[in-house]
Amino acid sequence: MTNTHEFGAAIGRQFQVWLTRWRQRDELTRWSDRDLHDVGLSWSDVVREAGKPFWRP
């Protein structure tokens, strides 16, 4: 029973990682030019990052 619970917990953690990654990339597309400049990113960086599938780091 413990292995099943651990497996389920691992799946849940991975889902959270994917969801967080997707949300962060989505939010990045809404940043202003000023925001991007402040953190040292360009729009090409945003396009590259936001274009990645959620499962890729």
Side-chain angles (χ1 to χ4, degrees):
M1 188 69 108
T2 301
N3 288 339
T4 302
H5 177 65
E6 290 172 7
F7 180 73
I11 295 288
R13 284 190 303 272
Q14 187 61 54
F15 179 75
Q16 285 299 321
V17 167
W18 288 342
L19 183 60
T20 299
R21 195 177 291 154
W22 177 80
R23 285 178 175 163
Q24 289 172 343
R25 289 175 178 164
D26 184 59
E27 182 176 332
L28 190 59
T29 66
R30 293 175 172 76
W31 285 17
S32 69
D33 290 333
R34 172 81 186 228
D35 294 333
L36 293 173
H37 180 267
D38 287 349
V39 297
L41 294 175
S42 67
W43 277 109
S44 62
D45 296 327
V46 171
V47 168
R48 184 174 40 255
E49 187 63 28
K52 289 181 185 178
F54 64 87
W55 61 85
R56 281 193 41 216

Coordinates of all heavy atoms in Angstrom, one line a residue:
M1 N 0.8 -1.2 0.0 CA 0.0 0.0 0.0 C 0.9 1.3 0.0 O 0.5 2.2 -0.6 CB -0.9 0.0 1.2 CG -1.9 1.1 1.2 SD -3.2 0.9 -0.1 CE -4.6 0.4 0.9
T2 N 2.0 1.2 0.7 CA 2.9 2.4 0.8 C 3.4 2.8 -0.6 O 3.5 3.9 -0.9 CB 4.0 2.1 1.8 OG1 3.5 1.8 3.0 CG2 4.9 3.4 1.9
N3 N 3.8 1.8 -1.4 CA 4.4 2.0 -2.7 C 3.3 2.7 -3.6 O 3.7 3.6 -4.4 CB 4.9 0.8 -3.4 CG 6.1 0.3 -2.7 OD1 6.8 1.0 -2.1 ND2 6.4 -1.0 -2.9
T4 N 2.1 2.3 -3.5 CA 1.0 3.0 -4.3 C 0.8 4.4 -3.9 O 0.7 5.3 -4.7 CB -0.3 2.2 -4.1 OG1 -0.1 0.8 -4.5 CG2 -1.4 2.8 -5.0
H5 N 0.9 4.6 -2.6 CA 0.7 6.0 -2.0 C 1.9 6.9 -2.5 O 1.7 8.0 -2.9 CB 0.6 6.0 -0.5 CG 0.6 7.3 0.1 ND1 -0.5 8.2 -0.1 CD2 1.4 8.0 0.9 CE1 -0.3 9.3 0.5 NE2 0.9 9.2 1.1
E6 N 3.1 6.3 -2.4 CA 4.3 7.1 -2.8 C 4.3 7.4 -4.3 O 4.7 8.5 -4.7 CB 5.6 6.3 -2.4 CG 5.8 6.2 -0.9 CD 7.0 5.3 -0.6 OE1 7.7 4.8 -1.5 OE2 7.2 5.1 0.6
F7 N 3.8 6.4 -5.1 CA 3.7 6.6 -6.5 C 2.7 7.8 -6.8 O 3.0 8.6 -7.6 CB 3.3 5.3 -7.2 CG 3.2 5.5 -8.7 CD1 4.3 5.6 -9.5 CD2 1.9 5.5 -9.3 CE1 4.2 5.8 -10.9 CE2 1.8 5.6 -10.7 CZ 2.9 5.8 -11.5
G8 N 1.6 7.7 -6.1 CA 0.6 8.7 -6.3 C 1.1 10.1 -5.9 O 0.8 11.1 -6.6
A9 N 1.8 10.2 -4.8 CA 2.4 11.4 -4.4 C 3.4 12.0 -5.4 O 3.5 13.2 -5.6 CB 3.0 11.2 -3.0
A10 N 4.2 11.1 -5.9 CA 5.2 11.5 -6.9 C 4.5 12.0 -8.2 O 5.0 13.0 -8.8 CB 6.1 10.3 -7.3
I11 N 3.4 11.4 -8.6 CA 2.7 11.9 -9.7 C 2.1 13.3 -9.4 O 2.2 14.2 -10.3 CB 1.5 10.9 -10.1 CG1 2.1 9.6 -10.6 CG2 0.6 11.5 -11.1 CD1 2.7 9.6 -11.9
G12 N 1.6 13.4 -8.2 CA 1.0 14.7 -7.8 C 2.1 15.8 -7.8 O 1.9 17.0 -8.3
R13 N 3.3 15.5 -7.3 CA 4.4 16.5 -7.3 C 4.8 16.9 -8.7 O 5.0 18.0 -9.0 CB 5.6 15.9 -6.5 CG 5.4 16.0 -5.0 CD 6.7 15.7 -4.3 NE 7.2 14.4 -4.7 CZ 6.9 13.2 -4.1 NH1 6.0 13.2 -3.1 NH2 7.5 12.1 -4.4
Q14 N 4.9 15.9 -9.6 CA 5.3 16.1 -11.0 C 4.2 17.0 -11.7 O 4.6 17.9 -12.4 CB 5.5 14.8 -11.8 CG 6.1 15.1 -13.2 CD 7.4 15.7 -13.1 OE1 8.3 15.3 -12.5 NE2 7.6 16.9 -13.8
F15 N 3.0 16.7 -11.4 CA 1.9 17.5 -12.0 C 2.0 19.0 -11.5 O 1.9 19.9 -12.3 CB 0.5 17.0 -11.6 CG -0.6 17.8 -12.1 CD1 -1.0 17.7 -13.5 CD2 -1.3 18.6 -11.3 CE1 -2.0 18.5 -14.0 CE2 -2.4 19.4 -11.8 CZ -2.7 19.3 -13.1
Q16 N 2.4 19.2 -10.3 CA 2.5 20.6 -9.7 C 3.7 21.3 -10.4 O 3.6 22.5 -10.7 CB 2.7 20.5 -8.2 CG 1.5 20.3 -7.5 CD 0.4 21.4 -7.7 OE1 0.7 22.5 -7.8 NE2 -0.8 21.0 -7.8
V17 N 4.8 20.5 -10.7 CA 5.9 21.1 -11.4 C 5.5 21.6 -12.8 O 5.8 22.7 -13.2 CB 7.1 20.1 -11.5 CG1 8.2 20.6 -12.4 CG2 7.7 19.9 -10.1
W18 N 4.8 20.7 -13.5 CA 4.4 21.0 -14.8 C 3.4 22.2 -14.8 O 3.5 23.1 -15.7 CB 3.7 19.8 -15.5 CG 4.6 18.7 -15.9 CD1 6.0 18.8 -16.0 CD2 4.3 17.4 -16.2 NE1 6.5 17.6 -16.4 CE2 5.5 16.7 -16.5 CE3 3.1 16.7 -16.2 CZ2 5.5 15.4 -16.9 CZ3 3.1 15.4 -16.5 CH2 4.3 14.7 -16.9
L19 N 2.5 22.2 -13.9 CA 1.5 23.3 -13.8 C 2.2 24.7 -13.5 O 1.9 25.7 -14.1 CB 0.4 23.0 -12.7 CG -0.7 24.0 -12.6 CD1 -1.5 24.2 -13.9 CD2 -1.6 23.6 -11.4
T20 N 3.1 24.6 -12.6 CA 3.9 25.8 -12.2 C 4.7 26.3 -13.4 O 4.7 27.5 -13.7 CB 4.8 25.6 -11.0 OG1 4.0 25.2 -9.9 CG2 5.7 26.8 -10.7
R21 N 5.3 25.4 -14.1 CA 6.1 25.8 -15.3 C 5.2 26.4 -16.4 O 5.6 27.5 -16.9 CB 6.8 24.6 -15.8 CG 7.9 24.8 -16.8 CD 8.6 23.5 -17.2 NE 9.3 23.0 -16.1 CZ 9.6 21.7 -16.0 NH1 9.2 20.8 -16.8 NH2 10.3 21.3 -14.9
W22 N 4.1 25.8 -16.6 CA 3.1 26.4 -17.6 C 2.7 27.8 -17.2 O 2.6 28.7 -18.0 CB 1.9 25.4 -17.7 CG 0.9 25.9 -18.7 CD1 1.0 25.9 -20.1 CD2 -0.3 26.6 -18.4 NE1 -0.1 26.5 -20.6 CE2 -0.9 26.9 -19.6 CE3 -0.9 27.0 -17.2 CZ2 -2.1 27.6 -19.6 CZ3 -2.1 27.6 -17.2 CH2 -2.7 28.0 -18.4
R23 N 2.3 27.9 -15.9 CA 1.8 29.2 -15.5 C 2.9 30.3 -15.6 O 2.6 31.4 -16.0 CB 1.3 29.1 -14.0 CG 0.0 28.5 -13.9 CD -0.4 28.4 -12.5 NE -1.8 27.8 -12.4 CZ -2.3 27.3 -11.2 NH1 -1.5 27.3 -10.1 NH2 -3.5 26.8 -11.2
Q24 N 4.1 30.0 -15.2 CA 5.2 30.9 -15.3 C 5.5 31.3 -16.7 O 5.7 32.5 -17.0 CB 6.5 30.4 -14.6 CG 6.4 30.2 -13.2 CD 7.6 29.5 -12.6 OE1 8.3 28.8 -13.2 NE2 7.7 29.6 -11.3
R25 N 5.5 30.4 -17.6 CA 5.7 30.7 -19.0 C 4.6 31.6 -19.6 O 4.8 32.5 -20.4 CB 5.9 29.4 -19.8 CG 7.3 28.8 -19.5 CD 7.4 27.5 -20.2 NE 8.8 26.9 -19.9 CZ 9.1 25.7 -20.1 NH1 8.3 24.8 -20.6 NH2 10.3 25.2 -19.7
D26 N 3.4 31.2 -19.2 CA 2.2 32.0 -19.7 C 2.3 33.4 -19.1 O 2.1 34.4 -19.9 CB 0.9 31.3 -19.2 CG -0.3 32.0 -19.7 OD1 -0.4 32.1 -21.0 OD2 -1.1 32.5 -18.9
E27 N 2.7 33.6 -17.9 CA 2.8 35.0 -17.3 C 3.9 35.8 -18.0 O 3.7 37.0 -18.2 CB 3.0 34.9 -15.8 CG 3.1 36.3 -15.2 CD 3.2 36.3 -13.7 OE1 2.7 35.3 -13.0 OE2 3.8 37.2 -13.2
L28 N 5.0 35.1 -18.3 CA 6.1 35.8 -18.9 C 5.7 36.5 -20.2 O 6.2 37.5 -20.6 CB 7.2 34.8 -19.2 CG 8.6 35.3 -19.6 CD1 9.1 36.2 -18.6 CD2 9.5 34.1 -19.9
T29 N 4.7 35.9 -20.9 CA 4.3 36.5 -22.2 C 3.5 37.8 -22.0 O 3.3 38.5 -22.9 CB 3.4 35.5 -23.0 OG1 2.2 35.2 -22.3 CG2 4.1 34.2 -23.3
R30 N 3.1 38.0 -20.8 CA 2.3 39.2 -20.4 C 3.2 40.4 -19.9 O 2.7 41.5 -19.6 CB 1.2 38.9 -19.4 CG 0.2 38.0 -19.9 CD -0.8 37.6 -18.8 NE -2.0 36.9 -19.3 CZ -2.0 35.7 -19.6 NH1 -0.9 35.0 -19.6 NH2 -3.1 35.1 -20.0
W31 N 4.5 40.1 -19.7 CA 5.4 41.1 -19.1 C 5.6 42.3 -20.2 O 5.6 42.1 -21.4 CB 6.7 40.5 -18.8 CG 6.7 39.7 -17.5 CD1 5.6 39.2 -16.9 CD2 7.8 39.3 -16.8 NE1 6.0 38.5 -15.8 CE2 7.3 38.6 -15.7 CE3 9.2 39.5 -16.9 CZ2 8.2 38.0 -14.7 CZ3 10.0 39.0 -16.0 CH2 9.5 38.3 -14.9
S32 N 5.8 43.5 -19.6 CA 6.0 44.6 -20.5 C 7.5 44.6 -20.9 O 8.3 43.9 -20.3 CB 5.7 45.9 -19.7 OG 6.7 46.1 -18.7
D33 N 7.8 45.5 -21.9 CA 9.2 45.7 -22.3 C 10.1 46.1 -21.1 O 11.2 45.6 -21.0 CB 9.3 46.7 -23.4 CG 8.7 46.2 -24.7 OD1 8.7 45.0 -25.0 OD2 8.2 47.0 -25.5
R34 N 9.5 46.9 -20.3 CA 10.3 47.4 -19.1 C 10.6 46.3 -18.2 O 11.7 46.2 -17.7 CB 9.4 48.5 -18.4 CG 9.9 49.0 -17.1 CD 11.0 50.0 -17.3 NE 11.6 50.3 -16.0 CZ 11.9 51.6 -15.7 NH1 11.6 52.6 -16.4 NH2 12.4 51.8 -14.5
D35 N 9.6 45.5 -17.9 CA 9.8 44.3 -17.0 C 10.9 43.4 -17.5 O 11.7 42.9 -16.8 CB 8.5 43.5 -16.8 CG 7.4 44.3 -16.1 OD1 7.7 45.1 -15.3 OD2 6.2 43.9 -16.3
L36 N 10.8 43.1 -18.8 CA 11.8 42.2 -19.4 C 13.2 42.8 -19.4 O 14.1 42.1 -19.1 CB 11.4 41.9 -20.9 CG 10.1 41.1 -21.1 CD1 9.8 41.0 -22.6 CD2 10.3 39.7 -20.5
H37 N 13.2 44.1 -19.6 CA 14.5 44.8 -19.6 C 15.1 44.7 -18.2 O 16.3 44.5 -18.0 CB 14.4 46.3 -20.0 CG 15.6 47.0 -20.0 ND1 16.0 47.8 -18.9 CD2 16.6 47.2 -20.9 CE1 17.2 48.3 -19.1 NE2 17.6 48.0 -20.3
D38 N 14.2 44.9 -17.2 CA 14.7 44.9 -15.8 C 15.3 43.6 -15.4 O 16.2 43.5 -14.5 CB 13.5 45.2 -14.8 CG 13.1 46.7 -14.8 OD1 13.9 47.5 -15.4 OD2 12.1 47.0 -14.3
V39 N 14.9 42.5 -16.0 CA 15.4 41.2 -15.6 C 16.4 40.6 -16.7 O 16.9 39.5 -16.6 CB 14.3 40.1 -15.3 CG1 13.5 40.5 -14.1 CG2 13.5 39.9 -16.6
G40 N 16.7 41.5 -17.7 CA 17.7 41.1 -18.7 C 17.2 40.1 -19.8 O 18.0 39.4 -20.3
L41 N 15.9 40.2 -20.1 CA 15.3 39.3 -21.1 C 14.9 40.1 -22.3 O 14.5 41.3 -22.2 CB 14.1 38.5 -20.6 CG 14.4 37.5 -19.5 CD1 13.1 36.9 -19.0 CD2 15.3 36.4 -19.9
S42 N 14.9 39.4 -23.5 CA 14.4 40.0 -24.7 C 13.1 39.3 -25.1 O 12.8 38.2 -24.6 CB 15.4 39.9 -25.8 OG 15.6 38.6 -26.2
W43 N 12.4 39.8 -26.1 CA 11.2 39.1 -26.5 C 11.6 37.8 -27.2 O 10.8 36.9 -27.1 CB 10.4 40.0 -27.5 CG 9.5 40.9 -26.7 CD1 9.6 42.3 -26.6 CD2 8.4 40.6 -25.9 NE1 8.7 42.8 -25.7 CE2 7.9 41.7 -25.3 CE3 7.7 39.4 -25.6 CZ2 6.8 41.7 -24.5 CZ3 6.6 39.4 -24.8 CH2 6.2 40.5 -24.2
S44 N 12.7 37.7 -27.8 CA 13.1 36.5 -28.4 C 13.4 35.4 -27.3 O 13.1 34.2 -27.5 CB 14.4 36.6 -29.3 OG 15.5 37.1 -28.5
D45 N 13.9 35.8 -26.1 CA 14.0 34.9 -25.0 C 12.6 34.4 -24.6 O 12.4 33.3 -24.3 CB 14.7 35.6 -23.8 CG 16.1 36.0 -24.1 OD1 16.8 35.3 -24.8 OD2 16.5 37.1 -23.5
V46 N 11.6 35.4 -24.5 CA 10.3 35.0 -24.1 C 9.7 34.0 -25.1 O 9.1 33.0 -24.7 CB 9.4 36.3 -24.0 CG1 8.0 35.9 -23.7 CG2 9.9 37.2 -22.8
V47 N 9.8 34.3 -26.4 CA 9.2 33.4 -27.4 C 9.8 32.0 -27.3 O 9.1 31.0 -27.3 CB 9.5 34.0 -28.8 CG1 9.1 33.0 -29.9 CG2 8.6 35.3 -29.0
R48 N 11.1 32.0 -27.1 CA 11.8 30.7 -27.0 C 11.3 29.9 -25.7 O 11.0 28.7 -25.8 CB 13.3 30.9 -26.9 CG 14.1 29.6 -26.9 CD 15.6 29.8 -27.0 NE 16.2 30.9 -26.2 CZ 16.6 32.1 -26.8 NH1 16.5 32.2 -28.1 NH2 17.1 33.0 -26.0
E49 N 11.3 30.6 -24.6 CA 10.8 30.0 -23.3 C 9.4 29.6 -23.4 O 9.0 28.5 -23.0 CB 11.1 30.9 -22.1 CG 10.9 30.3 -20.8 CD 11.8 29.1 -20.5 OE1 12.9 29.0 -21.0 OE2 11.3 28.2 -19.7
A50 N 8.5 30.5 -23.8 CA 7.1 30.2 -23.8 C 6.7 29.2 -24.9 O 5.7 28.5 -24.7 CB 6.3 31.5 -24.1
G51 N 7.6 29.0 -25.8 CA 7.3 28.0 -26.9 C 7.6 26.5 -26.5 O 7.3 25.6 -27.1
K52 N 8.3 26.4 -25.3 CA 8.6 25.1 -24.8 C 7.4 24.4 -24.3 O 6.5 25.0 -23.7 CB 9.6 25.1 -23.7 CG 11.0 25.6 -24.1 CD 11.9 25.6 -22.8 CE 13.2 26.1 -23.0 NZ 14.0 26.1 -21.7
P53 N 7.3 23.1 -24.5 CA 6.2 22.3 -23.9 C 6.4 22.3 -22.4 O 7.5 22.4 -21.9 CB 6.3 20.9 -24.5 CG 7.6 20.8 -25.2 CD 8.2 22.2 -25.3
F54 N 5.3 22.2 -21.6 CA 5.4 22.3 -20.2 C 6.2 21.2 -19.5 O 6.7 21.4 -18.4 CB 3.9 22.2 -19.6 CG 3.2 20.9 -19.8 CD1 3.4 19.8 -19.0 CD2 2.4 20.7 -20.9 CE1 2.8 18.6 -19.2 CE2 1.7 19.5 -21.1 CZ 1.9 18.5 -20.3
W55 N 6.5 20.1 -20.2 CA 7.3 19.0 -19.6 C 8.8 19.2 -19.8 O 9.6 18.5 -19.2 CB 6.9 17.7 -20.2 CG 7.0 17.5 -21.6 CD1 8.2 17.2 -22.3 CD2 6.0 17.7 -22.6 NE1 7.9 17.2 -23.7 CE2 6.6 17.5 -23.9 CE3 4.7 18.1 -22.6 CZ2 5.9 17.6 -25.1 CZ3 4.0 18.2 -23.8 CH2 4.6 18.0 -25.0
R56 N 9.2 20.2 -20.6 CA 10.6 20.5 -20.8 C 11.0 21.6 -19.8 O 10.4 22.7 -19.8 CB 10.9 20.9 -22.2 CG 10.9 19.7 -23.1 CD 11.5 20.0 -24.5 NE 12.6 20.9 -24.5 CZ 12.9 21.8 -25.4 NH1 12.1 22.0 -26.4 NH2 14.0 22.6 -25.3
P57 N 12.1 21.4 -19.1 CA 12.6 22.5 -18.2 C 13.2 23.6 -19.0 O 13.5 23.5 -20.2 CB 13.7 21.8 -17.4 CG 13.7 20.3 -17.8 CD 12.8 20.1 -18.9

